[in-house]
Amino acid sequence: RRQRQMCIRDRGYGCTSASVIIGEDKIFQTIKADCQTSSVTTPITACLAALKTLRGKKIGLLTPYVGEVNSLIQRYFEAHEYCITKSITFSEIDDNRAGKITPASISDAVVDQFSREDMDFVFISCTSLRAVELVPILEGKLQCNVTTSNHALAWHMLRLSGIDDKYSDKGLSLIHISEPTRTERIAYDGLMVEKKMGAVWGGGGGG
């Protein structure tokens, strides 16, 4: 029996570390070979797009990864000519445990480690980390732009879908996933199809 193919305009792959380890181009090619889509993005692709849009250069990086993976993420940014001013990690090897790191712990780590650093951008990496709602709070405390894997991915998918609305109080002048408008419905915790936007956000189990 032939499988019915869903035609969706834009797709997002939902794992930051895998996007770096596998490679953006390989992920793009694999997804486009398997389904009809006009564009594909990943969390790292989206973060790089946000950095370019906001002209950020000096980055504070927080991840839940073990040291080896954290170093891969850091080198990836450096290969794109961005400076990692400071990098910190929760050193968690288990993705399920990473997802249990509390927003309060993430916020405390970011403020404690980055508040005295000379940086213009903070990236909280890993789609398992529950940090989207922290973005405007941390921007107010640090006085610099902040994004997360989920935050950047959602913003980039909206832009790829032709939605250019801005919310200046939601971080990065981008979006806030927990308060979607009628035309900007994205699943924060998994996969969802938005017919009006024509986008799917899914992929790996987090990272």
Side-chain angles (χ1 to χ4, degrees):
R1 184 190 292 180
R2 285 180 60 185
Q3 251 188 342
R4 198 173 165 194
Q5 199 171 40
M6 184 182 289
C7 181
I8 297 170
R9 193 168 68 224
D10 306 300
R11 292 178 183 261
Y13 178 80
C15 184
T16 318
S17 55
S19 302
V20 170
I21 294 167
I22 297 170
E24 295 172 87
D25 289 341
K26 181 66 174 178
I27 289 172
F28 298 159
Q29 292 167 9
T30 301
I31 292 176
K32 287 183 177 180
D34 190 59
C35 59
Q36 295 179 356
T37 183
S38 61
S39 58
V40 179
T41 187
T42 75
I44 201 72
T45 310
C47 182
L48 291 170
L51 280 164
K52 183 177 180 180
T53 298
L54 296 167
R55 299 179 182 178
K57 277 296 182 184
K58 295 178 289 186
I59 305 169
L61 175 66
L62 180 144
T63 82
Y65 315 128
V66 294
E68 182 181 358
V69 178
N70 191 65
S71 295
L72 286 173
I73 303 293
Q74 181 171 337
R75 291 198 297 270
Y76 202 80
F77 280 113
E78 291 170 345
H80 286 79
E81 300 184 348
Y82 291 102
C83 173
I84 302 296
T85 302
K86 187 171 187 177
S87 175
I88 60 173
T89 176
F90 286 103
S91 298
E92 183 55 69
I93 195 168
D94 186 334
D95 187 63
N96 291 322
R97 286 176 60 86
K100 294 178 181 178
I101 298 171
T102 66
S105 295
I106 296 167
S107 179
D108 288 346
V110 169
V111 173
D112 181 62
Q113 295 294 319
F114 295 149
S115 59
R116 292 172 294 278
E117 300 294 328
D118 179 21
M119 58 183 60
D120 49 35
F121 198 95
V122 169
F123 178 49
I124 301 171
S125 181
C126 186
T127 54
S128 289
L129 291 184
R130 295 169 291 154
V132 170
E133 294 181 359
L134 298 175
V135 170
I137 299 169
L138 292 174
E139 286 191 334
K141 290 182 176 180
L142 299 176
Q143 293 300 297
C144 72
N145 292 307
V146 177
T147 194
T148 76
S149 291
N150 290 320
H151 186 259
L153 182 61
W155 164 76
H156 200 217
M157 291 188 72
L158 290 173
R159 294 301 180 261
L160 290 173
S161 297
I163 297 173
D164 295 320
D165 297 353
K166 295 182 180 180
Y167 299 88
S168 59
D169 61 334
K170 303 306 181 185
L172 284 175
S173 296
L174 304 180
I175 64 165
H176 190 258
I177 301 169
S178 65
E179 296 176 0
T181 66
R182 192 163 47 113
T183 60
E184 296 180 344
R185 305 168 88 183
I186 287 185
Y188 175 51
D189 59 350
L191 176 68
M192 184 175 115
V193 176
E194 170 52 51
K195 293 181 180 179
K196 187 163 186 177
M197 192 169 69
V200 159
W201 177 12

